[in-house]
Amino acid sequence: MKLNLVCIPGDGIGPEIVAEAKKVLNRVAEKYGHEIIEKDILMGGASIDVHGVPLTEEAIAQAKAADAVLMGSIGGDTNTSPWYQLPPNLRPEAGLLALRKALNLFANLRPAYLYEELAAACPLKEEISRAGFDMLIMRELTGGLYFGERKTVEENGVRKAIDTLTYDENEIRRIAIKAFEVARKRRGKVTSVDKANVLDSSRLWRAVVNEVAADYPDVTLEHMLVDNCAMQLVKDPAQFDVILTENMFGDILSDEASMVTGSIGMLSSASLNDTKFGLYEPSHGSAPDIAGKNIANPIATVLSAAMMLRYSFDLDKEADAVEEAVRKVLKEGYRTADIMSEGCQKVSCSQMGDLLSERI
Ligand code: IPM
Ligand code: MG
């Protein structure tokens, strides 16, 4: 099969972790007889430095023409990087948001899974981590506060900023359907997270999710308020299967969920539209503090590449092989610095990529 990919190495640790994911993908292609055609495009700070904007029209067109996009991470230190002296619409993150919107990537899937081998890195009490957990956050990605009208004005000498949270029923319905479909292939439970005790957008969210649920009698639905969900994630993460939520809540809860897995360096993600196209990226950021040191954990990006094989190319066997390689390497005791624990062998980012490739 021909895999027509666009890669976005991005900023910070992005180029290092994408290089390792490419290494693994090339090994998969070699072993299973596929051909990878890949092209790198610039986005985020890397694009600002060259083109003055975080994403060019040409880069969007190239991403659109691919079957899938594999991304590292974008952005820099918001306190020190000159990128953050630019107007907000020219900063690195604006490139990612523009790409999500241009490709209509409304469904963001973020699995959070506790590997047995990493239980020691889990910051929760042992009696909680012992039960393990395996959840998937289905985050709405092209609506809500991120894309509502915003402005900063001055009224009578007082500065005032406005962000708007808007959802229409169609936006809610399509992401709810994705959540129920995924739940069917998992343990059959959806927890829809909102703030329906305060927000109108959440009340509509709840009503539409209930309507969609009627078509999925085999899936259990529960509603949970977002503040309670934040608490439940550290109290009893095993209760969750699929968490369905809007853009901003999903951003926050997915970072929390990833942290309880032991390291944010382990979590993959897929951003999908209604076709087979997808953008795959680790859930973590660009970690500028450790960039260029060859110590980042490439596993989240490698697992994102596995999601790409599964969702965009239907290459389940190949995706399984990549996930199995991750499990093997962990079982054999190899760890990057972020997940290091006593008795294990510490390896660099590129060594981790080599070890993973060798196990495919
Ligand atoms: C994420 C990131 C992005 C987001 C930023 C970089 C705009 O935090 O993918 O979770 O908030 O969506
Ligand atoms: Mg985030």
Side-chain angles (χ1 to χ4, degrees):
M1 183 174 192
K2 265 199 180 121
L3 316 187
N4 181 12
L5 304 187
V6 153
C7 296
I8 304 178
D11 308 320
I13 57 170
E16 301 162 55
I17 54 183
V18 166
E20 299 317 309
K22 282 186 186 176
K23 204 186 263 177
V24 173
L25 278 175
N26 284 324
R27 174 68 195 125
V28 168
E30 183 186 58
K31 169 141 183 204
Y32 294 90
H34 302 300
E35 188 189 344
I36 296 181
I37 304 155
E38 50 166 89
K39 188 167 182 30
D40 281 359
I41 61 172
L42 296 176
M43 191 169 86
S47 176
I48 296 172
D49 290 346
V50 176
H51 301 295
V53 289
L55 185 69
T56 60
E57 286 300 326
E58 198 200 336
I60 295 178
Q62 284 173 325
K64 270 191 181 156
D67 298 323
V69 175
L70 181 68
M71 190 190 130
S73 49
I74 51 117
D77 185 328
T78 49
N79 292 314
T80 57
S81 165
W83 298 328
Y84 296 91
Q85 304 300 320
L86 296 166
N89 63 332
L90 290 179
R91 292 180 193 171
E93 287 72 10
L96 178 57
L97 297 183
L99 190 65
R100 286 174 180 169
K101 199 68 173 178
L103 300 171
N104 193 26
L105 302 171
F106 65 87
N108 184 216
L109 284 64
R110 297 189 165 181
Y113 172 81
L114 183 66
Y115 286 85
E116 229 176 277
E117 294 77 15
L118 296 187
C122 172
L124 302 179
K125 281 190 194 146
E126 209 200 313
E127 68 233 47
I128 302 173
S129 64
R130 211 182 304 123
F133 57 83
D134 177 1
M135 70 184 98
L136 184 141
I137 297 186
M138 179 68 75
R139 167 188 177 195
E140 200 293 324
L141 203 60
T142 51
L145 277 171
Y146 277 64
F147 293 95
E149 215 180 294
R150 71 176 98 256
K151 61 180 174 191
T152 305
V153 293
E154 198 169 312
E155 281 173 6
N156 306 322
V158 178
R159 284 171 302 159
K160 179 163 123 181
I162 302 162
D163 294 284
T164 19
L165 204 182
T166 312
Y167 271 108
D168 71 37
E169 61 178 308
N170 297 327
E171 291 173 301
I172 301 168
R173 192 169 298 111
R174 64 183 183 178
I175 187 76
I177 290 170
K178 287 261 187 206
F180 281 94
E181 290 290 335
V182 168
R184 236 178 207 170
K185 295 195 193 138
R186 294 172 48 99
R187 301 194 306 281
K189 182 177 169 191
V190 170
T191 304
S192 176
V193 174
D194 61 37
K195 189 70 186 172
N197 52 347
V198 177
L199 303 174
D200 259 22
S201 55
S202 283
R203 287 186 273 269
L204 180 63
W205 182 277
R206 212 175 258 221
V208 175
V209 171
N210 279 332
E211 288 162 22
V212 172
D215 295 332
Y216 297 85
D218 50 321
V219 176
T220 309
L221 168 68
E222 67 176 12
H223 298 282
M224 192 178 275
L225 295 174
V226 62
D227 45 353
N228 184 27
C229 182
M231 188 173 77
Q232 295 298 330
L233 275 172
V234 288
K235 194 170 159 235
D236 177 18
Q239 70 183 287
F240 296 111
D241 180 15
V242 176
I243 293 180
L244 162 65
T245 192
E246 65 90 49
N247 204 346
M248 179 79 153
F249 297 159
D251 179 45
I252 299 167
L253 294 176
S254 61
D255 265 29
E256 187 187 1
S258 66
M259 199 55 231
V260 297
T261 66
S263 168
I264 195 163
M266 296 295 297
L267 291 202
S268 54
S269 88
S271 303
L272 308 175
N273 58 23
D274 264 330
T275 71
K276 280 275 164 198
F277 182 91
L279 178 137
Y280 300 86
E281 54 167 322
S283 285
H284 61 71
S286 59
D289 52 324
I290 59 163
K293 296 186 178 158
N294 195 21
I295 58 170
N297 184 350
I299 292 179
T301 318
V302 169
L303 289 173
S304 301
M307 286 185 98
M308 177 179 85
L309 293 170
R310 201 182 294 287
Y311 290 104
S312 286
F313 300 106
D314 289 318
L315 296 174
D316 287 339
K317 195 167 38 104
E318 288 81 344
D320 288 345
V322 174
E323 289 167 2
E324 188 50 34
V326 170
R327 246 170 265 126
K328 268 195 200 142
V329 162
L330 294 177
K331 201 157 267 153
E332 291 168 32
Y334 296 107
R335 304 281 189 273
T336 43
D338 57 317
I339 49 174
M340 184 61 192
S341 62
E342 227 186 289
C344 292
Q345 187 175 337
K346 197 183 212 171
V347 297
S348 68
C349 179
S350 56
Q351 282 169 329
M352 183 54 94
D354 290 338
L355 289 163
L356 291 168
S357 305
E358 286 159 15
R359 277 151 192 76
I360 283 170

